[in-house]
Amino acid sequence: MAVITHYLNISMTGHSTIENLTKPIHDLLAESGLQSGMLTLFVQHTTASVMIIEDEPGIRADTKTFWDRTIPADPLLEHNTRNAGEDNGHSHLRGQLQGPSLTIPFVNGSLTLGTWQQLVLIDFDTRPRTRNLVVQLLGE
């Protein structure tokens, strides 16, 4: 069983922006030569998450609206009041709820995503950042 690890760095602008990762992840799998196994996608930040969506403009807009309504920005959050200059307490809460990782099986060298499923990174922070991701393939 082989384990192959890759690192991706993605420049993001924050404010619930979404970046599609499906092609770069698919390309890493193809380059690996592995045919069957599991792919883990992990973001190394507490104010960003990875998720599977139908990536089209309406869902992108609805996703941003969902997060803005579910966990709105609030200057009175304890993270903001206890840490001078911080304004991203809501970003941390969103990241906690959505989570930092996904696991996707692959068969015959292809991810087993459904027809409309796409892998995306969502950046909840309040300012631009470079996001670091780990892509780990376990298989044969």
Side-chain angles (χ1 to χ4, degrees):
M1 192 77 57
V3 177
I4 301 170
T5 305
H6 295 279
Y7 300 91
L8 298 175
N9 300 306
I10 311 290
S11 294
M12 301 289 289
T13 60
H15 305 285
S16 298
T17 57
I18 294 173
E19 178 75 22
N20 194 309
L21 301 174
T22 308
K23 182 171 179 3
I25 299 299
H26 176 71
D27 291 348
L28 291 174
L29 177 57
E31 291 169 17
S32 77
L34 297 176
Q35 292 300 301
S36 295
M38 300 296 288
L39 179 146
T40 298
L41 177 60
F42 176 76
V43 62
Q44 295 179 304
H45 302 275
T46 58
T47 58
S49 295
V50 290
M51 57 188 183
I52 296 174
I53 66 171
E54 178 180 348
D55 189 12
E56 57 86 23
I59 290 296
R60 282 185 178 222
D62 291 342
T63 298
K64 181 171 179 15
T65 299
F66 169 80
W67 286 113
D68 289 346
R69 288 180 182 167
T70 303
I71 305 175
D74 181 350
L76 299 179
L77 287 170
E78 291 289 322
H79 175 75
N80 299 337
T81 60
R82 293 179 183 219
N83 299 283
E86 291 290 338
D87 65 353
N88 67 351
H90 67 288
S91 307
H92 288 279
L93 295 173
R94 292 173 184 186
Q96 290 171 9
L97 189 59
Q98 182 60 49
S101 66
L102 295 170
T103 302
I104 304 105
F106 59 91
V107 177
N108 298 324
S110 294
L111 298 171
T112 58
L113 296 172
T115 302
W116 304 111
Q117 290 182 314
Q118 299 281 299
L119 305 173
V120 299
L121 171 65
I122 185 166
D123 184 359
F124 297 120
D125 217 334
T126 57
R127 62 187 170 102
R129 294 180 180 268
T130 297
R131 298 309 189 157
N132 305 309
L133 295 105
V134 179
V135 181
Q136 192 164 70
L137 303 161
L138 172 65
E140 50 191 22

